Amino acid sequence: MKLRQILTISVKLKVSFLNKRCISTINNHLNREMSLPRNYFENTGLLKEGHYNLQVGAPGSKDLAKIATYFEAATESLSKSDKRFGETLQYGTMPGDKFVCDEVAKFLSRQYGQTVQSGDLMITPGASMGLLILIRRFTNPDDNMFVENPTYPVFAKYVTADKFIKTVPIPMEKDGMDLKVLQEKLEALPKKEVSKRWPFRALMYVIPTHHNPTGVNYSPEKCRKIVELARKYNLLVICDDVYNALNYVSSPSNPTKFEFSPQRLFAYDKKDDADYQGNVVSNGTLSKIVAPGLRVGWYEAPKRVIDSLQDTYDAVSGGGYNPYVSNLTAEVLKSGKIDEHVQHLRVAHKERMAAVISTVETKLGKYGVTISHPEGGYFLWIKLPENISSAEVLSDSSKNENVTFVKGEIASVVGDFSNYIRLSIAYYECAEMVKGVEGLCRSIERTINLKNRL
Amino acid sequence: MKLRQILTISVKLKVSFLNKRCISTINNHLNREMSLPRNYFENTGLLKEGHYNLQVGAPGSKDLAKIATYFEAATESLSKSDKRFGETLQYGTMPGDKFVCDEVAKFLSRQYGQTVQSGDLMITPGASMGLLILIRRFTNPDDNMFVENPTYPVFAKYVTADKFIKTVPIPMEKDGMDLKVLQEKLEALPKKEVSKRWPFRALMYVIPTHHNPTGVNYSPEKCRKIVELARKYNLLVICDDVYNALNYVSSPSNPTKFEFSPQRLFAYDKKDDADYQGNVVSNGTLSKIVAPGLRVGWYEAPKRVIDSLQDTYDAVSGGGYNPYVSNLTAEVLKSGKIDEHVQHLRVAHKERMAAVISTVETKLGKYGVTISHPEGGYFLWIKLPENISSAEVLSDSSKNENVTFVKGEIASVVGDFSNYIRLSIAYYECAEMVKGVEGLCRSIERTINLKNRL
């Protein structure tokens, strides 16, 4: 109780502001991405005022408090229609209630600047479960999944460890994965008969837009080639399309009018192609732009995939995924408030990214430290000199600067990138973020100087 | 639009009352349990006024409209605490937010008449997903799962078909599964090394309380023996504990004061036993007593199981299961309204069951048709004469009486029980339910008479 009181007294968006629930949330994220014991965060005293946890890929508390008011309003609005409100509590329809699919399609069309068809959507319990449902539906544990190296750290850490599937890493280039390596690996893929129930020989997991952690966007050429390969080798390509609304490119003359993100990979798998089969799924979520606690996401997927997924024990016995909260969410989307909110995120994130990039380059450029310049998303990717490990930096920064981050090697299924650091710009507001990054820069500098002296 | 208007004009709780969403819901349930094409319900005109769908294991619309008002109140209540409301939208904590686990534990303790410890709970996205998460965490597709014959129809239909695991049917007796057969099958189980990550040689799926579809309650002797066998053979016993609050036994002098259901199997796996390992999971849900659209359930489980389940991609990347809606649900549980609601369900269900049993016995007793006399739950189990198949009855009843139900064979992983019928008493109120059952009785009578004439 004492700790909580102390914490709630303090101001603004320092970690010290967070109450017990948020502490646990962050603690979980720490554990997730740093393989630390569950109570590390509390036991090491990292929660004292002024700690900066730069690894949390989650929206900030102020944003969520605002989102909460939208959900209150949506609940009131739904409750005016007694019957409909009650129905949202019934087993849901598949592939998602029509109202929900329609509102998600309209929202995505506005955010993407391209048409998303309601009929291509299936509602999911968020992208994490969405990914697992796909893996489990279409593969056995001895099947292969091509993944980027580096990739989403939690995926890298858990999916192989959980024995759901074998992962095959493919190096990332500046415009997407290295397709030469991919083709070699595809040629070496074990033979596997495909059938209506098992239409795919292997899976691929990619983050084509505002890639986590590198920030890369896939080039149109790579997108086209991946679709071609997916058709030739019967691959299911699962796109983690969770940052697509968060594009920060705008013209200097109109800095808050943002361009759309590059066209998503799903759109390259054109239904009117002569050799169309349906090989790409856009696995999306509202966690990064509305709220993760909802667990509402969607597949934008080929008919054969949706047909298969809605005829499973999960979908049938449970009566669709999260009918109540997805209906509430659709009410919120319909209100247009999220469009405003996403615009607010773009402005805020762009400012934070620029500030962090500038801080790192100003303070560490002379040491050969580089940082990514992403066009959108949540993450920055720092490259340290080859002889400096992020583990050494983390050891210093957590001890001397109360700063933590994701070590690069956690983003690799084979443990590469030990001299890289991933930062999230989602959680802290700009001034706080910069203070944390300044501490990180001091740690990096100390680590480099120490190494050079040895 | 025309269909919807016609439907919404009509009165009370006939299927014709249902609007489009409910039609789809029921349609899904039909598909689920009868393997009919998705649009069968609409195409065959079964939705005209006076149709009785006696298979739907879902709460009625009037009940859900009432539940909706509780969720509105809970949202208002949460919104008074700005910060806490926002936090429910953040990634959740594991194994579930403490407030949620505490309120679920208190609610279950009241409903069970036995203490449920908050520390034994993990929040799940409902029992269906809960079951799959357990299967996937602890087994490979070539492992074995012992299941009752008959069992939950959707489980029987999908889990083997989905290739998650191999099912081994064990016959049901009057007080639970036949343990002699189980022991024989256990002796024949392939050798499998156990380890911390893979602590179980095989799984067992049971519905020990108000069994679906037979209504059986497991005897204390069988419960004790199952725990003994589970320890000896390293089994994980997963109990579908979804009807445990719905006990309809009361004394004639005080007919609305209901006894508690028999002690759940989880309580037999005592932590202070010398040979305790933790082999039983109570896999519960609020779908049958609050609302299925929430997708909120819980595991009451041994520490080793919860520790393993919260260290997975699902739990970690998604940030716990359904944090927002589980917090709302906990607010509703805290209000005490659900205790009143469950009492209302007990009174209503008891009346419906008695009316249906009386109708069937009065009209069909002379033909040797029998019906179960369950002490609680959702289902009645009708046994027809050996030479009469429920498929023949369904063909007549859907054509001539607008009545549908679940054929017995769907409740069997090996297609037994073709002369059985499962009825759900959850959806229709009493008078409507009886009208439907009267139609069903006419169909059974016609089918028997036709067969006898041949």
Side-chain angles (χ1 to χ4, degrees), chain A residues 411-446:
Chain A
S412 168
V413 294
V414 285
D416 294 342
F417 306 103
S418 63
N419 61 321
Y420 284 76
I421 284 172
R422 192 198 76 169
L423 301 183
S424 161
I425 52 92
Y427 191 77
Y428 294 96
E429 300 214 351
C430 194
E432 291 302 302
M433 182 81 212
V434 169
K435 276 189 213 164
V437 172
E438 284 170 347
L440 172 64
C441 288
R442 286 191 294 271
S443 278
I444 293 174
E445 199 165 11
R446 267 194 300 274

Side-chain angles (χ1 to χ4, degrees), chain B residues 67-87:
Chain B
I67 295 291
T69 65
Y70 304 155
F71 276 80
E72 193 190 353
T75 306
E76 268 180 48
S77 159
L78 255 180
S79 74
K80 280 177 197 147
S81 158
D82 260 11
K83 199 194 288 178
R84 197 165 107 64
F85 195 21
E87 287 155 18

Side-chain angles (χ1 to χ4, degrees), chain A residues 4 8 17-22 24-25 28-29 31-33 38 56-61 64-65 67-69 71-72 75-76 79 82-94 97-98 125 127-129 131-133 136-137 140-141 152 154-159 161-164 197-198 205 240 287-288 290-295 307 310-325 327-328 427, chain B residues 4 8 17-22 24-25 28-29 31-33 38 56-61 64-65 67-69 71-72 75-76 79-80 82-94 97 125 127-129 131-133 136-137 140-141 152 154-159 161-164 197-198 205 240 287-288 290-295 307 310-325 327-328 427:
Chain A
R4 189 170 175 160
T8 49
F17 156 89
L18 301 165
N19 74 2
K20 205 154 181 202
R21 184 169 189 281
C22 277
S24 305
T25 299
N28 286 333
H29 275 271
N31 294 330
R32 287 166 205 187
E33 305 193 349
R38 201 159 294 279
V56 186
S61 302
L64 293 179
I67 294 291
T69 65
F71 276 81
E72 192 190 354
T75 306
E76 267 180 49
S79 75
D82 260 12
K83 199 194 286 177
R84 197 165 105 63
F85 195 21
E87 287 155 17
T88 65
L89 291 166
Q90 188 54 281
Y91 285 108
T93 53
M94 279 165 292
D97 291 346
K98 189 172 180 310
S128 302
M129 189 66 92
L131 176 64
L132 283 191
I133 290 169
R136 288 153 167 174
R137 181 62 179 169
N140 284 309
Y152 169 38
V154 181
F155 174 88
K157 181 175 168 200
Y158 279 98
V159 172
D162 284 355
K163 309 270 181 218
F164 291 133
R197 170 68 187 85
W198 305 97
Y205 170 68
D240 211 27
S287 293
K288 305 303 187 189
V290 186
L294 301 171
R295 311 315 306 144
D307 282 352
Q310 63 185 0
D311 193 34
T312 65
Y313 182 76
D314 318 37
V316 171
S317 176
Y321 300 115
N322 290 346
Y324 173 70
V325 71
N327 270 280
L328 268 184
Y427 191 77
Chain B
R4 187 171 176 160
T8 48
F17 155 88
L18 303 166
N19 75 2
K20 204 149 184 207
R21 186 171 186 281
C22 279
S24 303
T25 300
N28 287 335
H29 275 270
N31 295 331
R32 286 165 207 190
E33 305 193 350
R38 202 157 294 277
V56 185
S61 302
L64 293 180
I67 295 291
T69 65
F71 276 80
E72 193 190 353
T75 306
E76 268 180 48
S79 74
K80 280 177 197 147
D82 260 11
K83 199 194 288 178
R84 197 165 107 64
F85 195 21
E87 287 155 18
T88 65
L89 291 166
Q90 187 54 280
Y91 285 108
T93 53
M94 280 166 291
D97 290 345
S128 301
M129 190 66 91
L131 177 63
L132 283 190
I133 290 169
R136 289 154 168 175
R137 182 62 179 167
N140 283 309
Y152 169 38
V154 181
F155 174 87
K157 182 175 167 200
Y158 279 98
V159 172
D162 284 356
K163 309 266 183 223
F164 291 132
R197 170 67 188 86
W198 305 97
Y205 170 68
D240 211 27
S287 293
K288 306 303 188 189
V290 185
L294 300 171
R295 310 317 304 143
D307 282 351
Q310 64 186 359
D311 193 34
T312 64
Y313 183 76
D314 316 39
V316 172
S317 176
Y321 299 116
N322 290 346
Y324 173 70
V325 72
N327 270 281
L328 269 184
Y427 192 77

Side-chain angles (χ1 to χ4, degrees), chain A residues 130-325:
Chain A
L131 176 64
L132 283 191
I133 290 169
L134 285 165
I135 292 177
R136 288 153 167 174
R137 181 62 179 169
F138 292 114
T139 64
N140 284 309
D142 54 354
D143 282 330
N144 292 286
M145 188 170 198
F146 300 97
V147 306
E148 295 150 337
N149 192 28
T151 185
Y152 169 38
V154 181
F155 174 88
K157 181 175 168 200
Y158 279 98
V159 172
T160 304
D162 284 355
K163 309 270 181 218
F164 291 133
I165 196 159
K166 288 181 198 154
T167 47
V168 182
I170 309 291
M172 277 293 277
E173 300 181 314
K174 285 194 191 323
D175 64 342
M177 61 165 56
D178 183 333
L179 297 185
K180 277 195 199 126
V181 175
L182 175 65
Q183 272 181 284
E184 286 164 22
K185 303 280 184 189
L186 282 169
E187 278 303 317
L189 203 59
K191 287 270 172 267
K192 188 183 165 189
E193 285 293 309
V194 296
S195 61
K196 201 180 167 196
R197 170 68 187 85
W198 305 97
F200 304 109
R201 279 180 69 193
L203 265 49
M204 184 190 289
Y205 170 68
V206 285
I207 313 166
T209 310
H210 310 311
H211 180 259
N212 174 6
T214 66
V216 156
N217 281 324
Y218 275 56
S219 65
E221 295 68 38
K222 288 220 161 151
C223 290
R224 273 190 287 273
K225 186 69 182 175
I226 285 174
V227 169
E228 186 191 314
L229 293 171
R231 290 174 183 178
K232 180 174 172 190
Y233 292 95
N234 289 310
L235 303 182
L236 178 66
V237 181
I238 304 171
C239 304
D240 211 27
D241 279 346
V242 305
Y243 310 105
N244 300 42
L246 297 174
N247 199 61
Y248 314 139
V249 179
S250 58
S251 76
S253 64
N254 197 350
T256 60
K257 185 170 162 44
F258 296 99
E259 292 177 14
F260 293 112
S261 292
Q263 183 167 259
R264 69 210 180 285
L265 187 54
F266 178 81
Y268 287 85
D269 192 20
K270 295 198 179 75
K271 289 179 194 167
D272 51 8
D273 284 350
D275 57 344
Y276 174 81
Q277 303 159 61
N279 293 73
V280 180
V281 172
S282 174
N283 182 36
T285 182
L286 295 174
S287 293
K288 305 303 187 189
I289 50 177
V290 186
L294 301 171
R295 311 315 306 144
V296 174
W298 64 87
Y299 300 125
E300 190 185 5
K303 188 176 179 303
R304 64 174 175 170
V305 170
I306 291 182
D307 282 352
S308 179
L309 290 172
Q310 63 185 0
D311 193 34
T312 65
Y313 182 76
D314 318 37
V316 171
S317 176
Y321 300 115
N322 290 346
Y324 173 70
V325 71

